Amino acid sequence: MRGSPVVEIRELECFMALADELHFGRAGERLYVSQSRVSQLLRDLERRIGTRLVERSSRRVRLTPAGERFLSELRPAYERLSATVDAARESARGVTGRLRIGFQGTADARLMRAITDFQERHPGCVTEIVEVPFADPFGAVRHGDVDTAIVLLPVEEPDLVLGPLFSRQQQTVAVSVRHPFAGRASLHADELAGVPLISATAPAPAYWRAAQAPSTASATATATATAPAPQVRTLQEGLTLVAADRGAMLLCRPTAEYHGRHDVTFVPVEGVPDSVLGMVWRRDGETGRVREFAAAVRAASRAGS
């Protein structure tokens, strides 16, 4: 019994390059082969599949409906295959190269412990640490500026993987030293009802912004406060508005301690969810370096719990 024709990986790469470029010459340049070789590889692929994938005229090149369907299924499968090969290669030679790590808020002791542990285990891999903007927790990961990031939860992005969680901390509320709450030892969330809570502006998703200024405290504030709660791009902007008595801001204890200033005080708050950090990376960007760093984050979390 004859088996199905075996498709060569070079034919698939040729088809995807042609689908991107829609030009035989440019596809050839991209693959470092001649234009005639691109045509031959495409013919071989179409013969193996049994249908036309590309329409070519003197004026344009375009995919057929069958070609469009084939591309939509081929590309994610090819990316998964490439990731598997890269992971196997990294495993064979050890974790090397560069790992870019983003952090949001504060690079606290647990994060630094995870980075130190990772570096000790993988001296051939260089780590870079980049601050992630408060109002754009996921952008750096999505755009490839970092390989992974430690961000405030929640994370509901379908294209991102949420890895290990760590650094669960009680929330504090930042208020001006002139605010009536400044001398309190602690507060309950209900007491924040009349206080505008400062939150992040876009591009942070609406669900994420709401989590940083919970509705249990901010819903009544919208109706009772004399001005709407400000939205900010950075933590420093938020703390400056706090110092000016424009509102209050919820922060975890380590971030509050790190960003301490003489005109702002931080009061523990009960009745709101703890602040939790999590490690995220692109679903199509998982590498051996990312997996090994995730293991270091888990170990640092267990050591600090």
Side-chain angles (χ1 to χ4, degrees):
M1 181 177 178
R2 295 183 60 187
S4 301
V6 177
V7 176
E8 300 290 339
I9 192 70
R10 194 59 168 167
E11 296 167 2
L12 301 177
E13 293 173 337
C14 173
F15 171 70
M16 288 189 294
L18 190 56
D20 289 340
E21 302 292 344
L22 295 179
H23 189 280
F24 278 74
R26 289 196 297 270
E29 292 173 0
R30 180 166 159 179
L31 298 172
Y32 300 100
V33 299
S34 66
Q35 184 172 328
S36 61
R37 178 59 175 160
V38 173
S39 298
Q40 178 188 346
L41 289 168
L42 176 63
R43 286 195 303 270
D44 291 343
L45 178 61
E46 290 177 329
R47 186 177 65 253
R48 295 179 200 278
I49 293 177
T51 189
R52 291 284 299 278
L53 301 175
V54 176
E55 291 181 351
R56 179 183 187 183
S57 68
S58 58
R59 301 183 61 181
R60 64 182 301 184
V61 175
R62 65 180 182 181
L63 298 184
T64 65
E68 294 281 4
R69 290 192 299 272
F70 183 57
L71 178 65
S72 68
E73 296 179 3
L74 170 63
R75 196 180 296 279
Y78 181 83
E79 290 173 351
R80 288 194 297 271
L81 175 61
S82 297
T84 300
V85 173
D86 290 343
R89 184 183 297 117
E90 286 184 358
S91 177
R93 69 187 183 191
V95 177
T96 59
R98 179 180 61 166
L99 179 69
R100 298 162 298 173
I101 305 164
F103 71 93
Q104 188 181 34
T106 304
D108 67 6
R110 293 186 186 183
L111 174 56
M112 297 312 299
R113 185 186 306 126
I115 292 173
T116 299
D117 179 64
F118 175 84
Q119 290 176 329
E120 290 176 350
R121 290 176 178 272
H122 308 289
C125 184
V126 177
T127 56
E128 295 181 4
I129 309 172
V130 180
E131 185 174 3
V132 173
F134 176 63
D136 192 10
F138 311 125
V141 177
R142 281 195 167 127
H143 301 152
D145 298 327
V146 297
D147 301 299
T148 183
I150 307 298
V151 299
L152 284 165
L153 269 56
V155 177
E156 299 177 5
E157 309 305 294
D159 58 330
L160 300 182
V161 175
L162 175 59
L165 310 183
F166 75 119
S167 196
R168 182 180 295 274
Q169 299 285 343
Q170 182 185 19
Q171 298 267 36
T172 69
V173 63
V175 294
S176 163
V177 293
R178 299 180 301 279
H179 195 279
F181 292 155
R184 297 280 298 274
S186 64
L187 293 169
H188 191 274
D190 294 341
E191 297 180 82
L192 299 178
V195 179
L197 287 181
I198 297 169
S199 63
T201 187
Y207 75 84
W208 188 90
R209 284 182 272 151
Q212 312 315 314
S215 58
T216 53
S218 61
T220 309
T222 304
T224 61
T226 57
Q231 293 185 331
V232 297
R233 294 169 298 174
T234 68
L235 283 175
Q236 288 302 326
E237 287 179 9
L239 291 173
T240 300
L241 291 176
V242 168
D245 266 336
R246 293 282 303 281
M249 194 172 189
L250 287 174
L251 298 172
C252 69
R253 187 181 296 275
T255 299
E257 293 172 351
Y258 181 81
H259 291 280
R261 42 188 293 171
H262 72 278
D263 49 2
V264 174
T265 189
F266 301 91
V267 183
V269 181
E270 300 175 357
V272 295
D274 288 345
S275 171
V276 184
L277 294 173
M279 178 180 167
V280 298
W281 60 87
R282 289 197 322 275
R283 195 168 296 279
D284 62 353
E286 182 173 320
T287 64
R289 291 185 291 271
V290 169
R291 286 191 293 272
E292 287 299 309
F293 184 64
V297 169
R298 290 189 186 94
S301 178
R302 288 194 296 268
S305 59

